[in-house]
Amino acid sequence: MTLANLQRDMEGCSRCSSCKWVPFNQVKGLRFAKNCPSITRYNFHAYSGSGKMLMGLSMVHGRSELNEAVAEIIYKCQLCGACDAACKVFRDDIDLTEVLLELRAQCVEQGESMIEHMAMMDGLKKDDNTLGEPKEKRGEWAEGLAVQDVNTQSAEVIFHAGCRYSYDPDLRDVVRGAVKLMLEAGVDVGIAGKAESCCGGKAYELGYRGEADNYADDMISRVKNCGAKTLVTPCADGYAAFRYLYPKMGKELPCEVMHISQYLEKLIFEERLAFEQEVPLVVTYHDPCHLGRMSEPYTGNWEGDKLLRPARLKRQGRHGIYDAPRKIISSIPGVKLVEMERIREYAWCCGAGGGVLEADPDFAGWTAQERVREALATGADALVTTCPWCVSVFKEAVDELGADLAVYELTELALESAKTPQIGLSIGGNRHDR
Ligand code: SF4
Ligand code: SF4
């Protein structure tokens, strides 16, 4: 796949600007009707999904060149997929996300990637993680847990912590707690510890295809060697890489892939996990882009006229993971879920994705604050999500706004309500009076 292969998609853009808005039949009010952080923040057409396609088309036609200014706009985008999901409501023959990914590959090919991303890639090559942390510390989060070492032992389930959960001290209780819940349910869990590497998804999204390929091969051989039947990850980015990017790269993991929210839901269904403690909390749930629309499985490269493509092969964002986290929330006694205006495949992004957090933290923070304002408008006590990047940018946004809103990782709520509360959240400390 190259940018030129997507010429018909780019030529097909009717400049209707629907990619800038939540589809009209889903709009509940003007304040939260926009869907694209990039065009909303920078307010110039080039920043929208359509604008980026027009730049790509101009390059394919040879009318303009990729330069620093163009690359800057290409990377002012969280790769959240909201533009694609909205465009598909009207134009299901255009694959906008594919164009955005190819533009980034072109930037790397032509030496126009962001300096911050180059630094991240240097760190990735050195220590196999996107945070620049030492490789040998990667497994420290799991110290003392009775898990198998998949480097030397087999395991039924391989747990891939992902870069952020492996290193972020604020998320250590969450990732340990997720594994504890699985172990207490009798699951045979293994981890790779310090041998675990990045999934490569971030490298692919930034345009570094060769590196992404290597990490995918590494992941696949690790799963093959330990014979795991299921891979479970708490990382939304990793989940999207396994379900969408790997097959797109022509790579297939030899096992079922589940996000931790799906796995916990399965344990509840099998009556191996029960929530018994009351958690008196009104929460609203944020759909992480990479667990939602961006994790919709890859459906292949349709080479003919996309107007003739069967509906089941169109990625419209509907087949992401939306129900499992909501079912877990609803299973917890005392918790009440109130929804924000932009949800499921039309959710507003947290701001951290697509390399924006690294290259433009101010834009990432602005995007997160917008979501926090939407969460506050529901009157909820807490904003719950299930992606490590979302959690950390939301916590910062709440601090910056001075907002009275708690931010929880979904697993924290599960741990709080599990038979034996595991980590003791200060539930109620951030609640509004009502
Ligand atoms: S919604 Fe689709 S067709 Fe309309 S302007 Fe956006 S990209 Fe173009
Ligand atoms: S992927 Fe998200 S941020 Fe990027 S252009 Fe589309 S809607 Fe905007």
Side-chain angles (χ1 to χ4, degrees), residues 36-43 348 360 362-364 366-367:
C36 168
S38 189
I39 183 68
T40 307
R41 174 85 194 265
Y42 297 103
N43 201 22
W348 177 266
D360 191 347
D362 179 59
F363 177 31
W366 174 88
T367 307

Side-chain angles (χ1 to χ4, degrees), residues 36-38 47-49 52 77-83 100:
C36 168
S38 189
Y47 289 86
S48 67
K52 290 177 175 91
C77 159
Q78 281 90 351
L79 267 180
C80 69
C83 50
L100 300 178

Side-chain angles (χ1 to χ4, degrees), residues 12-19 45 49-50 53 86-87 91 94 96:
C13 172
S14 47
R15 326 299 202 252
C16 65
S17 284
S18 299
C19 50
H45 188 71
S50 165
M53 288 216 296
C87 175
R91 296 296 308 274
I94 295 175
L96 225 167

Side-chain angles (χ1 to χ4, degrees), residues 344-407:
R344 299 175 76 92
E345 67 264 42
Y346 308 122
W348 177 266
C349 172
C350 78
V356 169
L357 181 63
E358 295 78 10
D360 191 347
D362 179 59
F363 177 31
W366 174 88
T367 307
Q369 286 181 23
E370 169 70 8
R371 190 58 158 167
V372 165
R373 288 193 180 95
E374 188 177 354
L376 286 168
T378 66
D381 304 312
L383 172 57
V384 177
T385 189
T386 181
C387 161
W389 306 95
C390 299
V391 168
S392 52
V393 290
F394 285 150
K395 282 188 173 167
E396 266 181 45
V398 164
D399 282 351
E400 273 159 27
L401 290 172
D404 183 16
L405 184 76
V407 177

Side-chain angles (χ1 to χ4, degrees), residues 259-333:
H259 183 257
I260 187 67
S261 58
Q262 293 174 292
Y263 203 81
L264 294 182
E265 187 200 4
K266 171 180 136 74
L267 293 178
I268 295 168
F269 180 75
E270 292 169 353
E271 298 185 353
R272 295 161 74 189
L273 170 65
F275 298 135
E276 294 186 356
Q277 310 291 331
E278 184 101 356
V279 182
L281 207 58
V282 179
V283 306
T284 191
Y285 175 70
H286 166 76
D287 291 287
C289 306
H290 282 75
L291 187 63
R293 55 198 170 229
M294 288 298 282
S295 83
E296 183 159 316
Y298 183 61
T299 51
N301 179 25
W302 183 264
E303 285 177 1
D305 182 348
K306 285 185 178 170
L307 286 169
L308 303 175
R309 186 168 52 170
R312 71 188 156 77
L313 297 181
K314 295 169 184 172
R315 289 183 77 250
Q316 296 174 305
R318 289 178 199 149
H319 301 292
I321 306 304
Y322 306 110
D323 293 331
R326 288 178 170 82
K327 281 187 189 160
I328 291 173
I329 290 171
S330 311
S331 306
I332 298 175

Side-chain angles (χ1 to χ4, degrees), residues 151-327:
N151 303 299
T152 53
Q153 295 166 302
S154 61
E156 202 176 315
V157 172
I158 178 168
F159 184 87
H160 176 82
C163 297
R164 184 101 203 192
Y165 280 118
S166 294
Y167 292 107
D168 189 334
D170 293 340
L171 293 167
R172 185 153 289 195
D173 285 342
V174 173
V175 66
R176 284 178 67 82
V179 172
K180 278 188 197 164
L181 289 175
M182 292 168 75
L183 290 171
E184 280 174 14
V187 182
D188 174 26
V189 191
I191 65 161
K194 68 179 176 190
E196 184 184 289
S197 292
C198 176
C199 64
K202 189 80 94 183
Y204 191 96
E205 288 193 350
L206 297 183
Y208 293 83
R209 299 281 172 90
E211 287 77 2
D213 248 34
N214 294 341
Y215 283 109
D217 289 341
D218 179 62
M219 189 75 221
I220 290 166
S221 70
R222 187 170 303 113
V223 175
K224 271 187 188 151
N225 291 342
C226 76
K229 291 193 184 73
T230 309
L231 182 153
V232 174
T233 183
C235 178
D237 275 21
Y239 184 75
F242 301 142
R243 290 233 307 177
Y244 169 52
L245 295 179
Y246 278 26
K248 185 167 152 53
M249 288 186 248
K251 320 258 175 199
E252 206 71 59
L253 279 161
C255 65
E256 182 184 18
V257 176
M258 296 178 90
H259 183 257
I260 187 67
S261 58
Q262 293 174 292
Y263 203 81
L264 294 182
E265 187 200 4
K266 171 180 136 74
L267 293 178
I268 295 168
F269 180 75
E270 292 169 353
E271 298 185 353
R272 295 161 74 189
L273 170 65
F275 298 135
E276 294 186 356
Q277 310 291 331
E278 184 101 356
V279 182
L281 207 58
V282 179
V283 306
T284 191
Y285 175 70
H286 166 76
D287 291 287
C289 306
H290 282 75
L291 187 63
R293 55 198 170 229
M294 288 298 282
S295 83
E296 183 159 316
Y298 183 61
T299 51
N301 179 25
W302 183 264
E303 285 177 1
D305 182 348
K306 285 185 178 170
L307 286 169
L308 303 175
R309 186 168 52 170
R312 71 188 156 77
L313 297 181
K314 295 169 184 172
R315 289 183 77 250
Q316 296 174 305
R318 289 178 199 149
H319 301 292
I321 306 304
Y322 306 110
D323 293 331
R326 288 178 170 82
K327 281 187 189 160

